[in-house]
Amino acid sequence: MRVIAGSARRIQLKTVKGMETRPTTDRIKETLFNMIHPFLCDASFLDLFSGSGGIGIEALSRGAVKASFVENNKAAINCIKSNLIATKLLNQATVYNNDVLSALRIMEATKEKFDIVFMDPPYNKGYEKKVLDYLEQSMLIHEKTIIIVEVSINTEFDYIENSDFEISKIKNYKTNKHVFIRKKIRKEII
């Protein structure tokens, strides 16, 4: 796994041994970043269920001004920190060694705001719904925040209809997909 583009281009990243994390392949990562490229410059990026930190590091390399990484696996945390040092991006990063909901509460208390939220939770466990339920009521996001969820291809998002979110795009791959979610645009009644 490597950084594809930007200031840390071509730097090899360490990954966590075993099957606890699933690093996003370079091809899928490149497709994702081609889609979000216009929104990265000076963005504040949140990488949830970070694994080795490859997505957040790619965002920093391509112009995000800061990134927060959330991971509760100690080996993965060490990997993220090592990768941030290798890419010389550590000073733009905050790393949380917590479960995702605890980290979100900590960030909420510090009045953080994010332009892009990326999450790659363990597949088919329902974690993405819990995070979206939290973010729906949170001050961590704003009206234009882009939320990207990487999930297995068969994951349903029917519950979005009854929320303040809407799906703006779905990009399907062979076994997984990226679901792009935004706050619903409220129309003013005059």
Side-chain angles (χ1 to χ4, degrees):
M1 190 168 80
R2 65 188 168 88
V3 179
I4 297 170
S7 65
R9 183 175 168 211
R10 293 193 184 118
I11 294 177
Q12 291 294 317
L13 300 176
K14 293 180 181 177
T15 58
V16 180
K17 289 182 169 66
M19 297 301 291
E20 279 193 57
T21 62
R22 302 166 325 280
T24 302
T25 65
D26 285 353
R27 199 173 105 229
I28 290 175
K29 186 166 44 169
E30 187 164 13
T31 300
L32 169 66
F33 279 92
N34 285 341
M35 289 188 281
I36 65 172
H37 177 76
F39 309 101
L40 276 175
C41 185
D42 295 328
S44 179
F45 195 94
L46 177 57
D47 186 353
L48 301 174
F49 307 95
S50 299
S52 58
I55 297 293
I57 289 169
E58 188 77 33
L60 288 171
S61 180
R62 291 180 184 233
V65 71
K66 66 179 181 172
S68 292
F69 299 81
V70 178
E71 178 57 62
N72 66 358
N73 177 307
K74 189 67 174 163
I77 287 292
N78 292 336
C79 210
I80 293 167
K81 289 177 180 176
S82 177
N83 287 332
L84 286 165
I85 291 166
T87 56
K88 298 177 175 52
L89 296 168
L90 185 61
N91 65 338
Q92 293 172 258
T94 306
V95 181
Y96 294 88
N97 184 197
N98 301 84
D99 69 86
V100 167
L101 293 177
S102 295
L104 292 174
R105 285 190 283 275
I106 291 166
M107 286 183 260
E108 193 97 48
T110 63
K111 309 253 190 273
E112 292 270 357
K113 282 251 196 252
F114 296 98
D115 303 304
I116 302 172
V117 176
F118 177 85
M119 71 175 104
D120 183 6
Y123 288 178
N124 305 314
K125 305 267 188 207
Y127 292 127
E128 64 279 351
K129 182 178 184 324
K130 291 176 184 174
V131 173
L132 289 169
D133 287 346
Y134 183 92
L135 290 176
E136 186 175 11
Q137 307 303 319
S138 173
M139 298 304 290
L140 292 169
I141 62 172
H142 52 77
E143 292 295 317
K144 294 185 179 180
T145 298
I146 301 166
I147 301 169
I148 306 155
V149 187
E150 185 171 321
V151 290
S152 69
I153 196 78
N154 58 359
T155 301
E156 297 292 333
F157 283 83
D158 300 347
Y159 56 87
I160 290 288
E161 286 180 23
N162 300 319
S163 73
D164 285 340
F165 293 124
E166 61 188 1
I167 295 173
S168 60
K169 177 186 264 193
I170 298 175
K171 174 62 178 164
N172 291 311
Y173 305 99
K174 198 177 238 182
T175 61
N176 61 348
K177 62 186 173 183
H178 284 134
V179 180
F180 294 76
I181 298 168
R182 292 190 125 155
K183 285 215 170 212
K184 288 179 182 169
I185 298 170
R186 299 199 187 280
K187 298 198 190 284
E188 296 289 325
I189 300 174
I190 300 177

